[in-house]
Amino acid sequence: MHPSPSAAAGRPSTGALLHRFANPGRFLRLSRWLFPLLSIAAIVCLAAGLGLGLFFSPADWQQGDAVRIMYVHVPMAILASSGYAALALCGLLSLVWKHPLADLAAMEIGPVGAVVTALCLATGSLWGKPMWGAWWVWDARLTSVLVLFFLYLGHIALIRAFDDPQRGFRAASILAIAGVIDLPIIKFSVAWWNTLHQPDSITLTHAPSMAMSMLVPLAISFAGFALGFAALVTGRLEAAILEHRAQQILTRRAGARA
């Protein structure tokens, strides 16, 4: 059976729903209480997770105290890929559904994601020096994450490269979607190639291979960094919307005086 015309007319389309929940005014009302909530939750989780991980969790029998770098490195690695996936989603929403906030969100996610990826590479080098005897090796996992960092930088540059903002948004959206191919390479590089990077300790198909005394602080640290990432993007997007509105007001006033 097909739905009646009246029922179909009363049911909002996917595009309509996306636009409804992406209204800038509605987002500003939401961000006024969401931003402080995310910020406080991030600080609490980071204090608890990093405190437990750096000072109370046991040293690894093989890696010693160098293993404590993972409480920063692992969350940064996950958020680097997750942030780029969000960037690509914004590009898709912009190109297909003309999402009102997708382009502004992509503009604000890019710098945060680039910093996170840089921290992932930096902490990976700190971890690699005592483990591999070198700050950097052209390992498949490391190289693919470096490519991700350059994709972030390319997106940041491209979205601001045109006098017409819409051209920049469109070009950056295409780059973000095309760059998604790097994410499965990062994820499965350890399995596909013979690399120095250790296999994933946490997977969806097997029980974690680390002790709970390490896993719990790691999970809390990741929650803190993820909440912090969300808080930064929310705050930046709120500021971008207000700046965009201020520019529109100034442009209208300039036009009226002319």
Side-chain angles (χ1 to χ4, degrees):
M1 295 180 60
H2 296 283
S4 64
S6 59
R11 185 173 62 247
S13 66
T14 302
L17 284 173
L18 289 171
H19 280 262
R20 177 184 176 186
F21 290 106
N23 178 274
R26 188 174 288 109
F27 176 83
L28 287 176
R29 290 193 294 272
L30 177 66
S31 66
R32 287 191 184 101
W33 62 266
L34 184 61
F35 175 71
L37 182 64
L38 289 171
S39 300
I40 293 171
I43 292 171
V44 171
C45 288
L46 285 174
L50 293 179
L52 289 172
L54 297 178
F55 301 108
F56 296 101
S57 67
D60 184 71
W61 70 276
Q62 243 182 345
Q63 303 181 34
D65 285 323
V67 75
R68 302 185 194 281
I69 299 172
M70 78 172 177
Y71 298 112
V72 177
H73 175 70
V74 172
M76 292 298 103
I78 297 173
L79 288 174
S81 293
S82 301
Y84 194 86
L87 203 64
L89 177 61
C90 288
L92 183 66
L93 291 173
S94 173
L95 292 176
V96 177
W97 286 288
K98 310 300 180 184
H99 194 288
L101 290 184
D103 292 322
L104 287 178
M107 181 176 285
E108 303 311 322
I109 290 171
V112 180
V115 171
V116 165
T117 309
L119 287 173
C120 172
L121 291 168
T123 53
S125 294
L126 290 173
W127 201 350
K129 178 61 175 176
M131 295 302 103
W132 304 332
W135 296 104
W136 179 267
V137 293
W138 291 101
D139 176 271
R141 173 67 60 87
L142 273 65
T143 304
S144 55
V145 173
L146 181 62
V147 170
L148 182 67
F149 178 62
F150 289 138
L151 285 170
Y152 271 118
L153 294 183
H155 185 276
I156 293 169
L158 195 58
I159 205 170
R160 296 164 173 83
F162 298 91
D163 293 333
D164 180 6
Q166 294 305 315
R167 291 181 62 192
F169 291 146
R170 181 177 177 82
S173 296
I174 295 172
L175 174 65
I177 294 171
V180 167
I181 193 173
D182 191 43
L183 299 185
I185 296 175
I186 293 173
K187 172 62 179 174
F188 298 108
S189 57
V190 176
W192 290 346
W193 293 286
N194 183 22
T195 70
L196 291 175
H197 200 285
Q198 67 187 62
D200 296 332
S201 300
I202 304 172
T203 65
L204 298 176
T205 56
H206 297 87
S209 60
M210 67 175 63
M212 290 301 294
S213 56
M214 295 180 176
L215 181 61
V216 171
L218 179 60
I220 299 173
S221 297
F222 170 72
F225 282 116
L227 289 166
F229 190 104
L232 285 173
V233 172
T234 300
R236 289 176 61 91
L237 182 53
E238 181 180 4
I241 293 172
L242 294 175
E243 181 183 3
H244 183 67
R245 287 186 170 184
Q247 288 176 346
Q248 287 181 326
I249 292 172
L250 292 175
T251 300
R252 284 198 296 267
R253 287 181 178 177
R257 286 197 298 268

